[in-house]
Amino acid sequence: MSVIRVRFAPSPTGYLHIGGLRTALYCYLFARSQGGKLVLRIEDTDRTRFVEDAEDDIVQNLARCGLDVDESPMLGGPYAPYRQSERQNLYRKYAESLVDSGHAYYAFDSSDSIAELRKRNKAYDASTRLQMDNSLTHPKEVVSMRLESGEEYVVRLCVPEDVTIQFDDLIKGAVKVDSANIDDQVLIKSDGMPTYHLANVVDDHHMAITHVIRGDEWIPSTPKHILLYQAFGWQLPAMAHLPLILSPTGGKLSKRSAQRQGIPINVSDYLSKGYEPQAVMNFLALLGWNPGTEDEVFTLEELVSTFSLERVGSAPAKFDLDKLNWFNAQHLRRLDIEVLLERVRPFLEEHGIAVQDAYIQKVCLLVHDRLQHAKDLATNFSYCFVDPVTFDPKGVKKRWKSDAASLVNDYSTRLDALTSFNEDALEFELRDLAASRKVGAGRIIHPVRLAVSGTTAGPGLFALLRVLGQHTCVRRLRNAVTKLG
RNA sequence: GCCGCGUUCGUCUAGGGGUUAGGACGCCGGCCUUUCACGCCGGUAACACGGGUUCAAAUCCCGUACGCGGUACCA
């Protein structure tokens, strides 16, 4: 059996978005799980919507997510080039062969006459093509003359009148469409570029693609592609159409709707917000696929080994940010401390926090399990790096009683005198102080936490004090005593 | 409008003729912790509707509704 080849074929009309990433992920998982190859093909045939740096963005973010490809425009490969704009001659050749074999024709209609046709609620198909201005309605000599004179034209597929086109989708099952519902598709545009339909079929065949994995929105176009495969006498690759991702309210997950709901849309946004690539992959994988077990947290590698197309569902799925956040916390927690350090550092820098790696590591160890996002260290736990400037008013009201100042002050004196700043000593001093002042330990613990962090929540107090260090603790305690009185 | 695809807790989903309809996120409670989080335990909540088929239907069939997609010289 021949090697499995899958392609991810984005068009560079925008940056890589979360939906595109999911398609890429499924392509990747399938290819890798089958020991096959993954091809990145850039479908840049729409010159009007072309975005200069989109291809770069797509390539980079795919890589950042760990989705490495085997063949691509920059990597090259046995079927290069991998940019459709660089393969124009191929499409033209095949379009002409289709005209020769009677499966396509040249059309010269003006956009006005086509608009007119549609206004009459007519399709450009078997029912109307003979009324139009094309190579079916003019003598051969006239057509070649017009062609040679440089007149603008398109090549259209001659869709057969009344056939049922059927295919078996690996995900959706049997899909049937009547050719009467299909227009004579434009294959070559008047600017000489192929349309998606032609380029896609020609390239998939020439690049020996065995499995077409793409979004749901292509199902209605698949019969057109099948017609092309048949006209060329080529074997149809296996088809797998993935259900779409919907916005949380059910609509299309567009840039607009996503933004309105606080959902990042571009992959680079997720990454720059500090989402773990693995968490995003994990979340996306389970949006439409399930392993058939009750396991939920997977690395990319584990996904590869359990993935199968058969377990992809056919219903669209709504995007759920809460779940993504949960996955993020799960993956963050599984990170080695060295890796976590790398994740967290950019956010510390962003917040103007410049400290030694060794110290950041200590803090990471301390709060590892309390992090949902890499940025949390710089925000929720900023007190690990800078003295608190404010004290949570509710906390003060609840914990800073009349004796707090004197207790905290006494504790600071004891800490100052400590020769070994370890947790046991810290705890002993506190409890000993509590006993001598005849108060419960909590009477000191809470004000101390407040004094040192500005909040009432956080890691175990003695571990926190240890990490902060002697000088910082004493300074903060005394500072709080003056400020809170 | 026409064509296509879909519909199990709020969300992601398992299951697929006879189940107490399972798990996860979220939410709520409890335990742990003199804090908070993690963790653990428990709770909440679903087969869109109507007809068939069948001894039996959430599961099969047909309709309806709703959602999404397509209907471009966009992909």
Side-chain angles (χ1 to χ4, degrees), chain A residues 46 49 189-190 288 290 296 318 323 370 441-442 458:
Chain A
D46 185 347
R49 293 199 304 156
K189 302 185 258 189
S190 58
N290 76 84
E296 296 233 72
K318 290 180 187 136
K323 193 111 182 191
R370 290 154 208 274

mmCIF file of all heavy atoms in Angstrom, chain A residues 46 49 189-190 288 290 296 318 323 370 441-442 458, chain B residues 5 12-15 23-24 34-36 69 73-75:
data_model
loop_
_atom_site.group_PDB
_atom_site.id
_atom_site.type_symbol
_atom_site.label_atom_id
_atom_site.label_comp_id
_atom_site.label_asym_id
_atom_site.label_seq_id
_atom_site.Cartn_x
_atom_site.Cartn_y
_atom_site.Cartn_z
ATOM 1 N N ASP A 46 -5.878 33.773 -5.053
ATOM 2 C CA ASP A 46 -6.716 34.971 -4.983
ATOM 3 C C ASP A 46 -5.813 36.185 -4.765
ATOM 4 O O ASP A 46 -5.371 36.445 -3.650
ATOM 5 C CB ASP A 46 -7.722 34.839 -3.831
ATOM 6 C CG ASP A 46 -8.684 36.020 -3.808
ATOM 7 O OD1 ASP A 46 -8.407 37.024 -4.504
ATOM 8 O OD2 ASP A 46 -9.706 35.942 -3.112
ATOM 9 N N ARG A 49 -7.230 39.244 -2.416
ATOM 10 C CA ARG A 49 -7.279 39.142 -0.948
ATOM 11 C C ARG A 49 -5.933 38.758 -0.333
ATOM 12 O O ARG A 49 -5.840 38.509 0.863
ATOM 13 C CB ARG A 49 -8.340 38.111 -0.543
ATOM 14 C CG ARG A 49 -9.766 38.548 -0.875
ATOM 15 C CD ARG A 49 -10.769 37.760 -0.068
ATOM 16 N NE ARG A 49 -10.640 36.339 -0.250
ATOM 17 C CZ ARG A 49 -11.039 35.421 0.631
ATOM 18 N NH1 ARG A 49 -11.565 35.800 1.777
ATOM 19 N NH2 ARG A 49 -10.890 34.145 0.382
ATOM 20 N N LYS A 189 -9.632 31.800 -14.056
ATOM 21 C CA LYS A 189 -10.196 33.148 -13.972
ATOM 22 C C LYS A 189 -9.628 34.021 -15.081
ATOM 23 O O LYS A 189 -8.636 33.659 -15.702
ATOM 24 C CB LYS A 189 -9.862 33.759 -12.604
ATOM 25 C CG LYS A 189 -10.373 32.934 -11.439
ATOM 26 C CD LYS A 189 -10.136 33.625 -10.110
ATOM 27 C CE LYS A 189 -8.943 33.037 -9.387
ATOM 28 N NZ LYS A 189 -8.819 33.538 -8.002
ATOM 29 N N SER A 190 -10.240 35.155 -15.275
ATOM 30 C CA SER A 190 -9.800 36.008 -16.393
ATOM 31 C C SER A 190 -8.407 36.580 -16.153
ATOM 32 O O SER A 190 -7.766 37.055 -17.070
ATOM 33 C CB SER A 190 -10.807 37.128 -16.633
ATOM 34 O OG SER A 190 -10.969 37.894 -15.461
ATOM 35 N N GLY A 288 -14.366 17.809 18.816
ATOM 36 C CA GLY A 288 -14.762 17.095 17.613
ATOM 37 C C GLY A 288 -14.212 15.682 17.524
ATOM 38 O O GLY A 288 -14.686 14.879 16.745
ATOM 39 N N ASN A 290 -12.736 12.292 20.041
ATOM 40 C CA ASN A 290 -12.517 11.777 21.392
ATOM 41 C C ASN A 290 -11.835 10.435 21.291
ATOM 42 O O ASN A 290 -11.987 9.722 20.315
ATOM 43 C CB ASN A 290 -13.849 11.673 22.140
ATOM 44 C CG ASN A 290 -14.646 10.490 21.664
ATOM 45 O OD1 ASN A 290 -14.440 9.380 22.116
ATOM 46 N ND2 ASN A 290 -15.516 10.716 20.695
ATOM 47 N N GLU A 296 -8.398 12.684 29.158
ATOM 48 C CA GLU A 296 -8.642 14.002 28.570
ATOM 49 C C GLU A 296 -7.378 14.806 28.332
ATOM 50 O O GLU A 296 -7.339 15.644 27.452
ATOM 51 C CB GLU A 296 -9.541 14.815 29.497
ATOM 52 C CG GLU A 296 -10.914 14.215 29.653
ATOM 53 C CD GLU A 296 -11.992 15.204 29.364
ATOM 54 O OE1 GLU A 296 -12.174 15.549 28.190
ATOM 55 O OE2 GLU A 296 -12.654 15.640 30.328
ATOM 56 N N LYS A 318 -19.059 23.997 19.737
ATOM 57 C CA LYS A 318 -18.884 25.377 20.169
ATOM 58 C C LYS A 318 -17.584 25.541 20.950
ATOM 59 O O LYS A 318 -17.217 24.686 21.742
ATOM 60 C CB LYS A 318 -20.059 25.809 21.043
ATOM 61 C CG LYS A 318 -21.342 25.947 20.257
ATOM 62 C CD LYS A 318 -22.491 26.385 21.146
ATOM 63 C CE LYS A 318 -23.786 26.352 20.362
ATOM 64 N NZ LYS A 318 -24.905 25.758 21.119
ATOM 65 N N LYS A 323 -12.957 25.749 29.148
ATOM 66 C CA LYS A 323 -12.310 24.443 29.007
ATOM 67 C C LYS A 323 -10.868 24.600 28.550
ATOM 68 O O LYS A 323 -9.978 23.900 29.025
ATOM 69 C CB LYS A 323 -13.095 23.593 28.005
ATOM 70 C CG LYS A 323 -12.718 22.143 28.013
ATOM 71 C CD LYS A 323 -13.820 21.268 28.554
ATOM 72 C CE LYS A 323 -13.393 19.814 28.589
ATOM 73 N NZ LYS A 323 -14.507 18.911 28.849
ATOM 74 N N ARG A 370 -0.805 26.812 41.394
ATOM 75 C CA ARG A 370 -1.817 27.869 41.456
ATOM 76 C C ARG A 370 -1.905 28.649 40.176
ATOM 77 O O ARG A 370 -2.664 29.614 40.082
ATOM 78 C CB ARG A 370 -1.465 28.851 42.591
ATOM 79 C CG ARG A 370 -1.641 28.275 43.935
ATOM 80 C CD ARG A 370 -0.722 28.959 44.934
ATOM 81 N NE ARG A 370 -0.411 28.021 45.989
ATOM 82 C CZ ARG A 370 -1.190 27.848 47.052
ATOM 83 N NH1 ARG A 370 -2.250 28.602 47.233
ATOM 84 N NH2 ARG A 370 -0.894 26.929 47.937
ATOM 85 N N ALA A 441 -2.496 31.141 66.794
ATOM 86 C CA ALA A 441 -1.505 31.387 65.748
ATOM 87 C C ALA A 441 -2.095 32.178 64.574
ATOM 88 O O ALA A 441 -1.426 32.998 63.955
ATOM 89 C CB ALA A 441 -0.922 30.062 65.259
ATOM 90 N N GLY A 442 -3.361 31.900 64.302
ATOM 91 C CA GLY A 442 -4.020 32.581 63.186
ATOM 92 C C GLY A 442 -4.028 34.090 63.349
ATOM 93 O O GLY A 442 -4.040 34.841 62.372
ATOM 94 N N GLY A 458 -2.894 32.806 49.108
ATOM 95 C CA GLY A 458 -1.563 32.530 48.590
ATOM 96 C C GLY A 458 -1.013 31.228 49.103
ATOM 97 O O GLY A 458 -1.703 30.462 49.774
ATOM 98 P P C B 5 -26.385 15.436 3.011
ATOM 99 O OP1 C B 5 -25.743 14.123 2.768
ATOM 100 O OP2 C B 5 -27.849 15.532 3.200
ATOM 101 O "O5'" C B 5 -25.694 16.126 4.279
ATOM 102 C "C5'" C B 5 -24.285 16.089 4.426
ATOM 103 C "C4'" C B 5 -23.881 16.917 5.612
ATOM 104 O "O4'" C B 5 -24.345 18.282 5.439
ATOM 105 C "C3'" C B 5 -24.503 16.521 6.945
ATOM 106 O "O3'" C B 5 -23.848 15.410 7.521
ATOM 107 C "C2'" C B 5 -24.278 17.797 7.751
ATOM 108 O "O2'" C B 5 -22.937 17.930 8.136
ATOM 109 C "C1'" C B 5 -24.609 18.862 6.712
ATOM 110 N N1 C B 5 -26.012 19.302 6.779
ATOM 111 C C2 C B 5 -26.375 20.209 7.792
ATOM 112 O O2 C B 5 -25.497 20.579 8.585
ATOM 113 N N3 C B 5 -27.646 20.638 7.864
ATOM 114 C C4 C B 5 -28.558 20.199 6.991
ATOM 115 N N4 C B 5 -29.794 20.658 7.108
ATOM 116 C C5 C B 5 -28.221 19.274 5.952
ATOM 117 C C6 C B 5 -26.946 18.850 5.887
ATOM 118 P P C B 12 -21.063 21.979 22.568
ATOM 119 O OP1 C B 12 -20.903 22.366 21.157
ATOM 120 O OP2 C B 12 -22.219 21.162 22.985
ATOM 121 O "O5'" C B 12 -19.747 21.228 23.050
ATOM 122 C "C5'" C B 12 -18.448 21.754 22.714
ATOM 123 C "C4'" C B 12 -17.390 20.796 23.197
ATOM 124 O "O4'" C B 12 -17.447 20.694 24.641
ATOM 125 C "C3'" C B 12 -17.603 19.362 22.728
ATOM 126 O "O3'" C B 12 -17.115 19.199 21.403
ATOM 127 C "C2'" C B 12 -16.794 18.593 23.764
ATOM 128 O "O2'" C B 12 -15.419 18.686 23.519
ATOM 129 C "C1'" C B 12 -17.129 19.357 25.041
ATOM 130 N N1 C B 12 -18.297 18.798 25.750
ATOM 131 C C2 C B 12 -18.102 17.692 26.603
ATOM 132 O O2 C B 12 -16.970 17.233 26.732
ATOM 133 N N3 C B 12 -19.169 17.170 27.259
ATOM 134 C C4 C B 12 -20.380 17.693 27.095
ATOM 135 N N4 C B 12 -21.404 17.145 27.754
ATOM 136 C C5 C B 12 -20.608 18.809 26.241
ATOM 137 C C6 C B 12 -19.545 19.328 25.587
ATOM 138 P P U B 13 -17.785 18.107 20.474
ATOM 139 O OP1 U B 13 -16.996 18.073 19.259
ATOM 140 O OP2 U B 13 -19.247 18.327 20.404
ATOM 141 O "O5'" U B 13 -17.469 16.788 21.302
ATOM 142 C "C5'" U B 13 -18.334 15.691 21.301
ATOM 143 C "C4'" U B 13 -17.921 14.800 22.436
ATOM 144 O "O4'" U B 13 -18.278 15.435 23.695
ATOM 145 C "C3'" U B 13 -18.635 13.467 22.487
ATOM 146 O "O3'" U B 13 -17.997 12.555 21.602
ATOM 147 C "C2'" U B 13 -18.439 13.082 23.949
ATOM 148 O "O2'" U B 13 -17.139 12.638 24.200
ATOM 149 C "C1'" U B 13 -18.643 14.438 24.642
ATOM 150 N N1 U B 13 -20.037 14.667 25.051
ATOM 151 C C2 U B 13 -20.515 13.887 26.079
ATOM 152 O O2 U B 13 -19.833 13.049 26.646
ATOM 153 N N3 U B 13 -21.825 14.117 26.430
ATOM 154 C C4 U B 13 -22.682 15.009 25.859
ATOM 155 O O4 U B 13 -23.835 15.099 26.272
ATOM 156 C C5 U B 13 -22.114 15.787 24.797
ATOM 157 C C6 U B 13 -20.841 15.587 24.435
ATOM 158 P P A B 14 -18.856 11.385 20.965
ATOM 159 O OP1 A B 14 -18.029 10.776 19.920
ATOM 160 O OP2 A B 14 -20.215 11.860 20.666
ATOM 161 O "O5'" A B 14 -18.926 10.360 22.184
ATOM 162 C "C5'" A B 14 -17.704 9.816 22.715
ATOM 163 C "C4'" A B 14 -18.003 8.843 23.803
ATOM 164 O "O4'" A B 14 -18.683 9.502 24.887
ATOM 165 C "C3'" A B 14 -18.949 7.717 23.434
ATOM 166 O "O3'" A B 14 -18.265 6.718 22.710
ATOM 167 C "C2'" A B 14 -19.377 7.227 24.815
ATOM 168 O "O2'" A B 14 -18.376 6.399 25.388
ATOM 169 C "C1'" A B 14 -19.435 8.541 25.606
ATOM 170 N N9 A B 14 -20.808 9.030 25.776
ATOM 171 C C8 A B 14 -21.414 10.102 25.192
ATOM 172 N N7 A B 14 -22.665 10.289 25.575
ATOM 173 C C5 A B 14 -22.880 9.255 26.474
ATOM 174 C C6 A B 14 -24.003 8.886 27.239
ATOM 175 N N6 A B 14 -25.157 9.545 27.227
ATOM 176 N N1 A B 14 -23.883 7.800 28.048
ATOM 177 C C2 A B 14 -22.729 7.144 28.063
ATOM 178 N N3 A B 14 -21.596 7.388 27.395
ATOM 179 C C4 A B 14 -21.752 8.476 26.610
ATOM 180 P P G B 15 -18.901 6.027 21.452
ATOM 181 O OP1 G B 15 -17.958 4.988 20.997
ATOM 182 O OP2 G B 15 -19.343 7.078 20.517
ATOM 183 O "O5'" G B 15 -20.180 5.324 22.081
ATOM 184 C "C5'" G B 15 -19.997 4.216 22.956
ATOM 185 C "C4'" G B 15 -21.283 3.942 23.691
ATOM 186 O "O4'" G B 15 -21.723 5.116 24.392
ATOM 187 C "C3'" G B 15 -22.464 3.581 22.796
ATOM 188 O "O3'" G B 15 -22.428 2.198 22.501
ATOM 189 C "C2'" G B 15 -23.656 3.943 23.673
ATOM 190 O "O2'" G B 15 -23.941 2.914 24.588
ATOM 191 C "C1'" G B 15 -23.147 5.177 24.410
ATOM 192 N N9 G B 15 -23.579 6.434 23.808
ATOM 193 C C8 G B 15 -22.917 7.177 22.875
ATOM 194 N N7 G B 15 -23.560 8.261 22.511
ATOM 195 C C5 G B 15 -24.722 8.226 23.265
ATOM 196 C C6 G B 15 -25.825 9.131 23.317
ATOM 197 O O6 G B 15 -25.974 10.168 22.681
ATOM 198 N N1 G B 15 -26.799 8.720 24.214
ATOM 199 C C2 G B 15 -26.732 7.582 24.965
ATOM 200 N N2 G B 15 -27.769 7.346 25.766
ATOM 201 N N3 G B 15 -25.716 6.719 24.941
ATOM 202 C C4 G B 15 -24.754 7.102 24.071
ATOM 203 P P G B 23 -20.248 9.735 35.793
ATOM 204 O OP1 G B 23 -19.811 9.548 37.177
ATOM 205 O OP2 G B 23 -21.412 10.585 35.496
ATOM 206 O "O5'" G B 23 -19.008 10.259 34.930
ATOM 207 C "C5'" G B 23 -17.774 9.562 34.969
ATOM 208 C "C4'" G B 23 -16.848 10.120 33.931
ATOM 209 O "O4'" G B 23 -17.464 10.025 32.617
ATOM 210 C "C3'" G B 23 -16.524 11.594 34.065
ATOM 211 O "O3'" G B 23 -15.530 11.824 35.037
ATOM 212 C "C2'" G B 23 -16.024 11.907 32.658
ATOM 213 O "O2'" G B 23 -14.743 11.371 32.447
ATOM 214 C "C1'" G B 23 -17.033 11.118 31.818
ATOM 215 N N9 G B 23 -18.198 11.941 31.458
ATOM 216 C C8 G B 23 -19.475 11.865 31.961
ATOM 217 N N7 G B 23 -20.293 12.747 31.437
ATOM 218 C C5 G B 23 -19.499 13.452 30.536
ATOM 219 C C6 G B 23 -19.829 14.537 29.668
ATOM 220 O O6 G B 23 -20.913 15.092 29.523
ATOM 221 N N1 G B 23 -18.729 14.964 28.930
ATOM 222 C C2 G B 23 -17.469 14.406 29.013
ATOM 223 N N2 G B 23 -16.546 14.950 28.230
ATOM 224 N N3 G B 23 -17.145 13.389 29.811
ATOM 225 C C4 G B 23 -18.206 12.964 30.540
ATOM 226 P P A B 24 -15.487 13.206 35.823
ATOM 227 O OP1 A B 24 -14.397 13.096 36.805
ATOM 228 O OP2 A B 24 -16.857 13.559 36.250
ATOM 229 O "O5'" A B 24 -15.051 14.241 34.691
ATOM 230 C "C5'" A B 24 -13.736 14.190 34.143
ATOM 231 C "C4'" A B 24 -13.592 15.262 33.110
ATOM 232 O "O4'" A B 24 -14.512 14.998 32.018
ATOM 233 C "C3'" A B 24 -13.977 16.660 33.571
ATOM 234 O "O3'" A B 24 -12.937 17.280 34.289
ATOM 235 C "C2'" A B 24 -14.240 17.345 32.237
ATOM 236 O "O2'" A B 24 -13.042 17.633 31.568
ATOM 237 C "C1'" A B 24 -14.972 16.233 31.485
ATOM 238 N N9 A B 24 -16.419 16.333 31.694
ATOM 239 C C8 A B 24 -17.227 15.598 32.524
ATOM 240 N N7 A B 24 -18.493 15.965 32.491
ATOM 241 C C5 A B 24 -18.524 17.008 31.580
ATOM 242 C C6 A B 24 -19.559 17.828 31.088
ATOM 243 N N6 A B 24 -20.831 17.720 31.483
ATOM 244 N N1 A B 24 -19.241 18.781 30.185
ATOM 245 C C2 A B 24 -17.964 18.896 29.800
ATOM 246 N N3 A B 24 -16.894 18.185 30.186
ATOM 247 C C4 A B 24 -17.250 17.240 31.081
ATOM 248 P P U B 34 -2.842 24.134 58.691
ATOM 249 O OP1 U B 34 -1.466 24.563 59.009
ATOM 250 O OP2 U B 34 -3.509 23.020 59.396
ATOM 251 O "O5'" U B 34 -3.734 25.470 58.765
ATOM 252 C "C5'" U B 34 -4.499 25.727 59.940
ATOM 253 C "C4'" U B 34 -5.664 26.592 59.512
ATOM 254 O "O4'" U B 34 -6.237 27.163 60.690
ATOM 255 C "C3'" U B 34 -5.127 27.740 58.626
ATOM 256 O "O3'" U B 34 -5.763 27.845 57.354
ATOM 257 C "C2'" U B 34 -5.161 28.973 59.532
ATOM 258 O "O2'" U B 34 -5.831 30.073 58.925
ATOM 259 C "C1'" U B 34 -6.003 28.575 60.750
ATOM 260 N N1 U B 34 -5.226 28.853 61.979
ATOM 261 C C2 U B 34 -5.907 29.310 63.086
ATOM 262 O O2 U B 34 -7.105 29.460 63.075
ATOM 263 N N3 U B 34 -5.122 29.572 64.157
ATOM 264 C C4 U B 34 -3.748 29.438 64.264
ATOM 265 O O4 U B 34 -3.171 29.722 65.304
ATOM 266 C C5 U B 34 -3.112 28.956 63.077
ATOM 267 C C6 U B 34 -3.852 28.693 62.005
ATOM 268 P P U B 35 -7.054 27.495 56.779
ATOM 269 O OP1 U B 35 -8.039 27.583 57.869
ATOM 270 O OP2 U B 35 -6.878 26.253 56.034
ATOM 271 O "O5'" U B 35 -7.382 28.658 55.750
ATOM 272 C "C5'" U B 35 -7.885 29.919 56.205
ATOM 273 C "C4'" U B 35 -7.494 30.968 55.208
ATOM 274 O "O4'" U B 35 -6.073 31.208 55.256
ATOM 275 C "C3'" U B 35 -7.739 30.599 53.760
ATOM 276 O "O3'" U B 35 -9.093 30.827 53.402
ATOM 277 C "C2'" U B 35 -6.804 31.549 53.025
ATOM 278 O "O2'" U B 35 -7.326 32.842 52.976
ATOM 279 C "C1'" U B 35 -5.597 31.554 53.973
ATOM 280 N N1 U B 35 -4.553 30.596 53.570
ATOM 281 C C2 U B 35 -3.804 30.902 52.448
ATOM 282 O O2 U B 35 -3.998 31.909 51.798
ATOM 283 N N3 U B 35 -2.841 29.998 52.134
ATOM 284 C C4 U B 35 -2.549 28.834 52.785
ATOM 285 O O4 U B 35 -1.640 28.115 52.375
ATOM 286 C C5 U B 35 -3.375 28.566 53.936
ATOM 287 C C6 U B 35 -4.336 29.440 54.278
ATOM 288 P P C B 36 -9.877 29.768 52.552
ATOM 289 O OP1 C B 36 -11.283 30.197 52.560
ATOM 290 O OP2 C B 36 -9.506 28.413 53.026
ATOM 291 O "O5'" C B 36 -9.273 29.965 51.093
ATOM 292 C "C5'" C B 36 -9.437 31.190 50.408
ATOM 293 C "C4'" C B 36 -8.442 31.259 49.287
ATOM 294 O "O4'" C B 36 -7.089 31.210 49.813
ATOM 295 C "C3'" C B 36 -8.449 30.100 48.303
ATOM 296 O "O3'" C B 36 -9.503 30.203 47.376
ATOM 297 C "C2'" C B 36 -7.094 30.294 47.629
ATOM 298 O "O2'" C B 36 -7.115 31.363 46.724
ATOM 299 C "C1'" C B 36 -6.227 30.668 48.832
ATOM 300 N N1 C B 36 -5.513 29.489 49.367
ATOM 301 C C2 C B 36 -4.350 29.078 48.704
ATOM 302 O O2 C B 36 -3.968 29.717 47.720
ATOM 303 N N3 C B 36 -3.683 27.997 49.159
ATOM 304 C C4 C B 36 -4.132 27.336 50.221
ATOM 305 N N4 C B 36 -3.432 26.274 50.629
ATOM 306 C C5 C B 36 -5.328 27.732 50.902
ATOM 307 C C6 C B 36 -5.986 28.810 50.445
ATOM 308 P P G B 69 -22.501 29.762 9.043
ATOM 309 O OP1 G B 69 -21.307 30.584 9.296
ATOM 310 O OP2 G B 69 -23.794 30.396 8.742
ATOM 311 O "O5'" G B 69 -22.186 28.747 7.863
ATOM 312 C "C5'" G B 69 -20.959 28.059 7.820
ATOM 313 C "C4'" G B 69 -21.005 27.017 6.745
ATOM 314 O "O4'" G B 69 -22.168 26.179 6.942
ATOM 315 C "C3'" G B 69 -21.197 27.534 5.330
ATOM 316 O "O3'" G B 69 -19.993 28.020 4.793
ATOM 317 C "C2'" G B 69 -21.668 26.270 4.632
ATOM 318 O "O2'" G B 69 -20.606 25.368 4.448
ATOM 319 C "C1'" G B 69 -22.614 25.699 5.686
ATOM 320 N N9 G B 69 -24.002 26.121 5.479
ATOM 321 C C8 G B 69 -24.746 26.997 6.230
ATOM 322 N N7 G B 69 -25.971 27.146 5.794
ATOM 323 C C5 G B 69 -26.043 26.311 4.688
ATOM 324 C C6 G B 69 -27.118 26.042 3.798
ATOM 325 O O6 G B 69 -28.272 26.491 3.823
ATOM 326 N N1 G B 69 -26.755 25.134 2.799
ATOM 327 C C2 G B 69 -25.523 24.556 2.677
ATOM 328 N N2 G B 69 -25.355 23.722 1.659
ATOM 329 N N3 G B 69 -24.500 24.791 3.501
ATOM 330 C C4 G B 69 -24.839 25.665 4.474
ATOM 331 P P C B 73 -18.368 33.324 -10.471
ATOM 332 O OP1 C B 73 -19.025 34.437 -9.821
ATOM 333 O OP2 C B 73 -18.822 32.936 -11.794
ATOM 334 O "O5'" C B 73 -16.827 33.619 -10.496
ATOM 335 C "C5'" C B 73 -15.902 32.609 -10.675
ATOM 336 C "C4'" C B 73 -14.557 33.293 -10.593
ATOM 337 O "O4'" C B 73 -14.210 33.695 -11.944
ATOM 338 C "C3'" C B 73 -14.671 34.555 -9.718
ATOM 339 O "O3'" C B 73 -13.871 34.455 -8.571
ATOM 340 C "C2'" C B 73 -14.430 35.744 -10.708
ATOM 341 O "O2'" C B 73 -13.528 36.700 -10.254
ATOM 342 C "C1'" C B 73 -13.856 35.050 -11.970
ATOM 343 N N1 C B 73 -14.342 35.662 -13.190
ATOM 344 C C2 C B 73 -13.386 36.224 -14.061
ATOM 345 O O2 C B 73 -12.200 36.172 -13.753
ATOM 346 N N3 C B 73 -13.796 36.801 -15.214
ATOM 347 C C4 C B 73 -15.103 36.829 -15.508
ATOM 348 N N4 C B 73 -15.453 37.399 -16.658
ATOM 349 C C5 C B 73 -16.092 36.274 -14.632
ATOM 350 C C6 C B 73 -15.668 35.703 -13.497
ATOM 351 P P C B 74 -12.636 35.022 -8.102
ATOM 352 O OP1 C B 74 -12.298 36.236 -8.822
ATOM 353 O OP2 C B 74 -11.831 33.802 -8.171
ATOM 354 O "O5'" C B 74 -12.838 35.443 -6.571
ATOM 355 C "C5'" C B 74 -13.586 34.610 -5.736
ATOM 356 C "C4'" C B 74 -12.779 34.468 -4.492
ATOM 357 O "O4'" C B 74 -13.626 34.666 -3.353
ATOM 358 C "C3'" C B 74 -12.159 33.096 -4.295
ATOM 359 O "O3'" C B 74 -10.943 32.985 -5.001
ATOM 360 C "C2'" C B 74 -11.969 33.082 -2.782
ATOM 361 O "O2'" C B 74 -10.834 33.808 -2.411
ATOM 362 C "C1'" C B 74 -13.218 33.820 -2.297
ATOM 363 N N1 C B 74 -14.339 32.919 -1.950
ATOM 364 C C2 C B 74 -14.662 32.780 -0.587
ATOM 365 O O2 C B 74 -14.013 33.422 0.235
ATOM 366 N N3 C B 74 -15.680 31.952 -0.220
ATOM 367 C C4 C B 74 -16.337 31.271 -1.147
ATOM 368 N N4 C B 74 -17.321 30.482 -0.757
ATOM 369 C C5 C B 74 -16.033 31.393 -2.547
ATOM 370 C C6 C B 74 -15.027 32.215 -2.907
ATOM 371 P P A B 75 -10.175 31.645 -5.150
ATOM 372 O OP1 A B 75 -9.057 31.910 -6.068
ATOM 373 O OP2 A B 75 -11.067 30.501 -5.379
ATOM 374 O "O5'" A B 75 -9.612 31.598 -3.651
ATOM 375 C "C5'" A B 75 -8.760 30.576 -3.219
ATOM 376 C "C4'" A B 75 -8.976 30.380 -1.740
ATOM 377 O "O4'" A B 75 -10.265 30.936 -1.335
ATOM 378 C "C3'" A B 75 -9.071 28.911 -1.345
ATOM 379 O "O3'" A B 75 -7.783 28.378 -1.120
ATOM 380 C "C2'" A B 75 -9.932 28.951 -0.108
ATOM 381 O "O2'" A B 75 -9.219 29.346 1.024
ATOM 382 C "C1'" A B 75 -10.953 30.036 -0.476
ATOM 383 N N9 A B 75 -12.120 29.487 -1.173
ATOM 384 C C8 A B 75 -12.335 29.390 -2.518
ATOM 385 N N7 A B 75 -13.496 28.856 -2.838
ATOM 386 C C5 A B 75 -14.083 28.583 -1.625
ATOM 387 C C6 A B 75 -15.328 28.000 -1.274
ATOM 388 N N6 A B 75 -16.228 27.585 -2.163
ATOM 389 N N1 A B 75 -15.615 27.856 0.043
ATOM 390 C C2 A B 75 -14.704 28.268 0.929
ATOM 391 N N3 A B 75 -13.506 28.831 0.728
ATOM 392 C C4 A B 75 -13.249 28.966 -0.588
#
